[in-house]
Amino acid sequence: MKISSRGPLAAALLALLLAGCGMQPSMTQRQPADDPDQLLQEANQQAPAAAARSRLEAANILARQGRAPQALEIAKNIDDGQLSAEQRRRWALLLSELGESQNDPHAVVQAGQLLKSDTPPREQANLLLERLGRALGELDKPLPAAAALLRLQAANDSEDLNDPIWAQLSRLPAGSLSKLRGSQEADTRAWLALTDLVRDGSGDIERLFQQIDDWRAQHPDHPAARRLPSKILALRDLRGREIRHIAVFLPESGPLANVAEAIEQGMRTHHLNEVNDGASGARLSFIDSSGGDLDALYREARNRGAQAVIGPLDKDLVSRLEQRDQVPLPTLALNYGTAERNQAENLFQYGLSAENEARQVARRGRMDGLRRAAVMVPGNDWGRRVSEAFRDTWLANGGEITRTERYNPGQPATESTRQAVSSPRPDMLFLLALPEYARQVPPTLDYYSASDLPVYATSHLYEGQPQPRLDKDLDGVRFIDIPWQIPDAAVGGEDALPFLDSYHQLRQESDPSMFRLMAMGVDAYELTRRLPQFQAIPGSELFGATGTLSVAEDGRIQRQLPWALFSNGVPQPVLSPGSIGDALP
């Protein structure tokens, strides 16, 4: 049975707590006043325990009178440590109900802390767990949200929780999923097996549902075996729409030929590994795009029977495509155009954008409570574009830029670093730099007595292989990178990486400087196979070699990257803010 916070049970519980649990006052107890203002005035003069009880009663009365916003503010500020166990349960139920009705998920999480120190009756515990799971999901904390909902389902075996649970599990990166793998609950382990199946196989819908049928046979009593989550069932509707033939527009000559070669190697290697592993795969037809005639390229793709296109790579060609009303075939361009928005129907854009990384750094810095940022970028067009992306996101989130230092990469970093952190002193430094230059910055900060200044950087300062002796100067620097470059920090080790066979093969064969581009080729293939899914099921994500990939409203692919911190010259994990939170163990 679903434990609904808005059904008869919730009404009964709320009536119960509003009535003071139906207890009659003894001869020595004062009958509660009907005036909440009087109770609040009395609370200001009372000892802490009595004051907490008076404020709880006032919040109860205000809620009963329909004055929910005021009741919520009072309930949030009650010192619940002064309440008895029964009173704390009343407080938690009231606060969670008010928080949910007033769209204040933080209040619901506050109420849910009761579950860490108390074991209320089953119906009360289940009600709090469901409210807590929903609130944590609203706060973008999928790991504790999933933990709360899985704990609730273990208590009541409700199939109605399948969709909420799947909504949270499907958002978790592999590193967070691993935190659940030690669960003693068989149903939780089965959920994780189903999650792995869908992530690995949603490019081949027919094969995926054969595997799901096997999973259901292995777990016949599991709630999701009895009723699959609706978003998994929606994948079944994509049967017959799979991408079986892809045309790839890459230049065979010119300044981008080496980049194109690395992307192609990643694509070909991964395609062969998928086919060898039993997947149907998609046929790849490579077409030289060096001439730049887009209409001719699409005619050739159609003549070959392609259903979708990967490419072009050249930024100018992508910019020309995004100005059209539509493209002839669903297309995943391998770069981002220069327009503010992509307006072409069926055009998606994907790349390893430094601007995308800068925006993520800005959001993380503000989440970490930092407000004043200094910026160090090279004094070229690349630095200008990245600094603008960081600045716009930082300011939009309420931050302040103290200084932007545009340095000469050919000069020592000493003076530029000093200028960047000089008065007014920032709360953090955003650094865009290649490894040789970046390694000079932390020692310079030490010299100018700014060793405690947090440094946040993009992936460009890391060469992709541990070099403790060289990178020890980067100790303490936080940076983002693709999962394939920082497996220990990203997912807890190589074995948890997506597309592991392709990773091992390309890592062994590749030039480290080209490895990110090969990973991009892998994800380009996977993204294109999943284009029907992205179009039909909003919110779909790919947990790929280059990050967690999702589609913005204008078709541009957004990458969410894991964080790492240099320690003894080696990237180590950084706990994401709010990833576990204070909700549940």
Side-chain angles (χ1 to χ4, degrees):
M1 180 184 71
K2 185 177 189 294
I3 308 298
S4 171
S5 63
R6 293 186 172 84
L9 175 60
L13 285 169
L14 186 56
L16 184 66
L17 61 91
L18 291 177
C21 293
M23 296 178 62
Q24 295 297 320
S26 70
M27 294 294 292
T28 59
Q29 288 179 309
R30 171 178 58 82
Q31 285 279 1
D34 289 331
D35 185 355
D37 295 327
Q38 179 184 337
L39 284 168
L40 293 173
Q41 289 175 5
E42 292 176 1
N44 292 332
Q45 309 300 321
Q46 292 172 330
R53 291 194 297 271
S54 293
R55 292 186 176 108
L56 176 58
E57 192 60 48
N60 281 331
I61 295 170
L62 287 165
R64 186 175 61 205
Q65 294 175 348
R67 297 159 66 183
Q70 187 179 355
L72 175 60
E73 287 307 308
I74 293 167
K76 284 165 63 176
N77 290 292
I78 290 173
D79 182 0
D80 62 290
Q82 299 293 331
L83 299 172
S84 69
E86 184 59 35
Q87 290 164 345
R88 281 197 77 214
R89 293 169 187 172
R90 292 174 54 204
W91 164 81
L93 289 166
L94 175 63
L95 180 58
S96 63
E97 171 73 14
L98 291 168
E100 193 166 69
S101 68
Q102 298 301 302
N103 298 315
D104 187 345
H106 290 283
V108 181
V109 174
Q110 180 185 351
Q113 302 308 302
L114 174 80
L115 298 170
K116 299 181 76 173
S117 58
D118 187 20
T119 306
R122 178 176 176 177
E123 288 185 341
Q124 294 182 8
N126 287 352
L127 183 58
L128 282 172
L129 273 172
E130 184 169 8
R131 290 174 179 168
L132 179 62
R134 283 199 298 263
L136 290 165
E138 291 175 25
L139 292 171
D140 196 26
K141 296 182 178 181
L143 178 56
L149 294 170
L150 287 167
R151 181 170 155 183
L152 176 61
Q153 190 171 66
N156 64 20
D157 197 38
S158 172
E159 297 171 16
D160 291 337
L161 290 168
N162 289 348
D163 281 351
I165 288 172
W166 183 253
Q168 304 308 322
L169 289 178
S170 62
R171 296 168 58 202
L172 287 175
S176 295
L177 278 175
S178 66
K179 299 179 188 300
L180 296 172
R181 294 192 189 278
S183 172
Q184 299 303 308
E185 291 286 344
D187 278 358
T188 295
R189 295 195 300 273
W191 269 116
L192 298 179
L194 179 61
T195 304
D196 292 339
L197 280 180
V198 175
R199 288 189 177 182
D200 294 343
S202 59
D204 188 337
I205 302 299
E206 196 66 42
R207 184 183 186 219
L208 169 63
F209 276 93
Q210 291 173 1
Q211 294 173 326
I212 288 176
D213 287 342
D214 292 341
W215 176 88
R216 296 175 85 170
Q218 294 168 12
H219 309 281
D221 297 325
H222 192 277
R226 302 195 302 264
R227 184 203 300 175
L228 282 173
S230 58
K231 284 203 171 181
I232 296 181
L233 287 174
L235 291 173
R236 180 175 283 160
D237 295 337
L238 300 178
R239 281 174 166 168
R241 296 173 56 188
E242 293 97 334
I243 302 295
R244 301 294 188 190
H245 189 171
I246 302 171
V248 185
F249 300 164
L250 285 174
E252 295 178 4
S253 59
L256 294 175
N258 288 339
V259 172
E261 184 179 354
I263 293 172
E264 179 177 341
Q265 183 179 348
M267 207 177 298
R268 287 186 183 277
T269 297
H270 183 60
H271 169 254
L272 288 174
N273 282 331
E274 288 289 285
V275 172
N276 291 337
D277 193 40
S280 59
R283 178 184 172 190
L284 296 173
S285 294
F286 289 85
I287 304 173
D288 184 10
S289 64
S290 303
D293 186 337
L294 290 167
D295 292 331
L297 290 169
Y298 276 108
R299 282 196 300 273
E300 179 64 18
R302 277 189 157 159
N303 289 339
R304 297 195 189 188
Q307 299 165 277
V309 166
I310 296 177
L313 176 61
D314 184 273
K315 196 177 192 70
D316 290 338
L317 294 181
V318 179
S319 298
R320 283 159 51 188
L321 279 181
E322 70 180 356
Q323 297 303 315
R324 298 185 176 193
D325 292 332
Q326 62 182 9
V327 290
L329 292 170
T331 299
L332 180 73
L334 296 176
N335 211 326
Y336 296 94
T338 56
E340 185 174 342
R341 287 182 59 82
N342 164 40
Q343 68 178 28
E345 183 181 351
N346 272 340
L347 176 64
F348 300 82
Q349 300 176 16
Y350 163 62
L352 305 185
S353 163
E355 292 94 324
N356 182 288
E357 294 186 20
R359 296 183 190 102
Q360 185 176 336
V361 172
R363 289 190 292 269
R364 174 62 188 260
R366 290 295 291 135
M367 287 176 66
D368 287 347
L370 306 172
R371 189 176 65 85
R372 293 151 57 92
V375 176
M376 279 187 70
V377 296
N380 52 30
D381 183 61
W382 180 53
R384 177 190 58 78
R385 289 187 284 107
V386 174
S387 68
E388 288 178 356
F390 176 86
R391 181 199 64 203
D392 291 348
T393 304
W394 186 260
L395 296 178
N397 283 275
E400 174 187 340
I401 302 293
T402 59
R403 184 182 182 93
T404 299
E405 185 67 22
R406 295 177 173 84
Y407 63 82
N408 181 349
Q411 298 294 321
T414 308
E415 182 59 20
S416 293
T417 305
R418 185 189 70 79
Q419 291 283 352
V421 301
S422 60
S423 182
R425 171 73 181 259
D427 298 328
M428 66 164 279
L429 174 65
F430 168 58
L431 177 63
L432 174 69
L434 297 178
E436 185 176 350
Y437 191 91
R439 292 178 186 124
Q440 303 174 52
V441 173
T444 304
L445 292 174
D446 291 346
Y447 181 80
Y448 288 112
S449 302
S451 58
D452 60 338
L453 184 70
V455 179
Y456 290 66
T458 63
S459 63
H460 305 85
L461 86 172
Y462 182 50
E463 292 182 351
Q465 292 185 329
Q467 301 179 91
R469 185 181 62 81
L470 285 174
D471 288 337
K472 196 171 190 323
D473 283 338
L474 291 170
D475 278 2
V477 174
R478 298 167 175 84
F479 72 103
I480 51 179
D481 208 337
I482 68 172
W484 272 21
Q485 289 282 50
I486 50 171
D488 291 332
V491 296
E494 290 185 357
D495 289 346
L497 285 172
F499 318 129
L500 186 59
D501 290 343
S502 299
Y503 166 81
H504 283 311
Q505 187 172 344
L506 291 167
R507 175 62 87 181
Q508 292 168 359
E509 297 175 355
S510 73
D511 174 350
S513 66
M514 293 292 174
F515 188 62
R516 286 186 181 89
L517 293 170
M518 295 177 183
M520 180 180 167
V522 171
D523 279 355
Y525 175 85
E526 289 290 340
L527 281 167
T528 306
R529 297 285 316 274
R530 288 166 167 80
L531 286 182
Q533 176 185 339
F534 281 111
Q535 291 174 307
I537 307 174
S540 294
E541 294 180 327
L542 169 65
F543 292 85
T546 63
T548 301
L549 309 178
S550 59
V551 181
E553 290 183 2
D554 67 348
R556 287 174 173 166
I557 304 296
Q558 304 295 313
R559 291 188 303 141
Q560 189 70 20
L561 300 179
W563 282 88
L565 172 78
F566 278 104
S567 178
N568 294 320
V570 177
Q572 300 293 336
V574 175
L575 182 66
S576 297
S579 62
I580 301 176
D582 297 321
L584 287 170

